[in-house]
Amino acid sequence: MEVIILPTAEEASEVAARLVARQVREKPQSVLGLATGSTPCKLYDLLARMHRDGDLDFSKTTSFNLDEYVGLDPVHPASYHHFMEKNLFSLINIPQGHIHIPDGLAADVPAHCTAYEKAIREAGGIDLQILGLGSDGHLGFNEPGSSLASRTRIKTLTERTRSDNARFFADCGEVPHHVITMGLGTIMESRMCLLLAFGEGKAHAVAQSVEGPVTASVPGSLLQFHPHAKVLLDAGAASLLARADYYRWVYKNKPEWQTDL
Ligand code: GLP
């Protein structure tokens, strides 16, 4: 796990954007795993800008989103379909047919989840998975206690996550209880994981994920087992890391051949 701490969320998002852009340039047919929430907004903004400037072509790229609320229409303003369309897909040239987001209105949820896993496999697996972190350490919507081997399935949100996400809804009671999310096993099969976390509100979950024991109680901690995971943090999110100075030193003093950013 490589921990990269930058002073601000903007600077960390710039590094993330360079990593995603490099992936897409080196392999135009890349399969990207995408996240929602406020954390990746700046990253998506930067990718859209690179595309607008003619520097980044998504025409051969495929995407799979991590999760979606059950019962929300794709046009609902808080749905992840709507979020992705507004913050990324309408701003780049990824073909509609290459976009995959779990269908919160699926009539047969288990069959839909099985088909989602199959589609990921048939696309060749996820090359680069972008991740945010819940304040309770969740990845996607894999709440604490999720099986470390889980696949795409229905999950029930904790009250904490429902209240964290209430800001995207007209009122708290409107936040669905059920979601469809890629599993932790699915996420761990991605060739590279890029976890972004910003702000002091994430500091505890970050410290537990990066420096705590690997446990289903903190889904983010599973990334310690991933062979190619980078964690991009701002100063606030890094504020409870015991080895923050060490991570900063390592990043600043990488041998030239290793500085791929
Ligand atoms: C939701 C999403 C997660 C995201 C998390 C953090 O629960 N399902 O994928 O990482 O929110 O959200 P934010 O980035 O808004 O803090």
Side-chain angles (χ1 to χ4, degrees), residues 35-40 66-67 80 131-134 138-141 161 165 167-168 202:
T36 50
S38 40
T39 306
L66 281 168
D67 46 17
Y80 288 166
L131 295 163
L133 188 66
H138 71 238
L139 294 180
F141 268 136
T161 299
N165 289 359
R167 65 189 192 281
F168 298 110
K202 298 290 172 72

Side-chain angles (χ1 to χ4, degrees), residues 37-58:
S38 40
T39 306
C41 283
K42 182 71 193 169
L43 162 64
Y44 294 157
D45 181 43
L46 292 167
L47 293 175
R49 204 176 304 169
M50 288 176 187
H51 171 69
R52 205 177 49 230
D53 294 346
D55 284 342
L56 201 51
D57 175 19
F58 291 92

